[in-house]
Amino acid sequence: MRLVTYIGISVSLVLLLTAFILFLCLSNLKSNSITTHKNLIVAVFVAELTFLLGINRTADQRLCQLIAIVLHYFFSASFSWMFVEGLHMYHRLREKRSIDTGKMSFYFFMGWGCPAIVVGVSAGLANVGYGNQRFCRMSTNGTLIWTFTIPIIIIVAFNTLVFIMALFISLQKQSRRRRRPHHHHYHGDEQSNLTNAPITQGRRRLSDPRMILTTMKTPLAHLPRSHPEVVSVAV
């Protein structure tokens, strides 16, 4: 079981590192979403690497306690950046303007600052709960574990809600796109009728001799009366 855990974490570390390098190489993809992705990758990468290298370092209890605190912080930061991902998606759904540019101070505070506050308070009040004789992780007994599980429950619930909203809005947009071709076709027929109306009217005039005679008389009727012979000849 331990071997399977180590293999899975090693594969995950390789994939995370590859994704981070790709984000760095694609320098033209600069936006708040990409920055959020990169911070999430860093948090998960450091958490898994610390787990892989330090989960069994129980010989030195102080080092084991430090490793447990680092694990608590970076796993909490991973879920915090997932919360930032959901929050950013929520703003993109609600805002009509583009929010992929600008300052990210609030996002950085939510992603790195809030976990630091929670872990700092937890380590200061219950540092005995970090590390034991078997593993270098936080204790699952007592109330210390709730400082990790309660934020996770809130983040998962919020991201699930945002996913449902995004799915609902996406379905609405697809239904609107399906209705647009019929709408444009209707207006296109109206415009075609308006464009062809003068042509049809002109054909009717040319086919009727009375209409031709009336058309010729109309401009001649506005000539000055000083030339009555022109009018009489035309009539």
Side-chain angles (χ1 to χ4, degrees):
M1 187 65 182
R2 183 177 298 180
L3 179 62
V4 175
T5 301
Y6 287 161
I7 293 175
I9 292 177
S10 300
V11 173
S12 177
L13 288 173
V14 172
L15 295 177
L16 288 170
L17 184 61
T18 304
F20 187 78
I21 292 174
L22 288 176
F23 280 128
L24 290 180
C25 293
L26 299 175
S27 57
N28 55 336
L29 297 177
K30 290 184 179 180
S31 64
N32 292 348
S33 299
I34 300 299
T35 304
T36 304
H37 297 336
K38 290 192 290 187
N39 281 272
L40 177 59
I41 290 173
V42 170
V44 176
F45 184 87
V46 176
E48 292 186 353
L49 184 63
T50 305
F51 181 89
L52 185 66
L53 299 178
I55 190 65
N56 295 316
R57 303 282 181 176
T58 57
D60 189 351
Q61 283 299 308
R62 291 185 177 179
L63 178 62
C64 183
Q65 189 177 35
L66 179 62
I67 291 172
I69 294 174
V70 172
L71 284 174
H72 186 192
Y73 173 71
F74 279 100
F75 275 114
S76 297
S78 301
F79 283 95
S80 295
W81 279 107
M82 291 180 190
F83 175 78
V84 172
E85 292 266 9
L87 185 64
H88 185 66
M89 183 180 293
Y90 175 78
H91 284 307
R92 292 181 66 179
L93 294 175
R94 300 292 295 179
E95 296 287 340
K96 295 182 179 180
R97 60 184 179 86
S98 177
I99 60 171
D100 272 337
T101 57
K103 295 182 179 180
M104 295 184 59
S105 303
F106 178 72
Y107 286 170
F108 282 114
F109 172 75
M110 293 294 298
W112 298 114
C114 289
I117 295 173
V118 173
V119 175
V121 173
S122 302
L125 297 177
N127 56 355
V128 183
Y130 291 97
N132 53 49
Q133 298 297 328
R134 297 180 59 191
F135 301 105
C136 297
R137 56 176 174 80
M138 64 186 306
S139 176
T140 55
N141 299 323
T143 59
L144 182 62
I145 189 64
W146 292 106
T147 62
F148 181 67
T149 55
I150 290 178
I152 290 176
I153 294 172
I154 296 174
I155 291 169
V156 171
F158 177 77
N159 286 352
T160 303
L161 180 62
V162 171
F163 174 76
I164 294 173
M165 290 178 57
L167 183 62
F168 181 72
I169 293 175
S170 178
L171 292 176
Q172 280 187 335
K173 289 182 178 180
Q174 287 183 359
S175 63
R176 291 174 183 174
R177 289 175 182 174
R178 291 175 182 175
R179 295 174 184 175
R180 283 180 182 177
H182 302 286
H183 186 69
H184 288 313
H185 180 71
Y186 175 74
H187 285 286
D189 292 340
E190 286 187 349
Q191 186 176 4
S192 178
N193 293 333
L194 291 175
T195 305
N196 294 330
I199 301 175
T200 305
Q201 188 176 4
R203 289 177 179 176
R204 290 178 180 176
R205 289 184 176 182
L206 291 175
S207 61
D208 191 355
R210 291 176 298 177
M211 295 294 294
I212 297 175
L213 189 59
T214 304
T215 305
M216 295 176 61
K217 287 182 178 181
T218 301
L220 293 173
H222 292 84
L223 289 174
R225 293 298 180 179
S226 58
H227 303 281
E229 64 279 2
V230 178
V231 178
S232 61
V233 171
V235 175

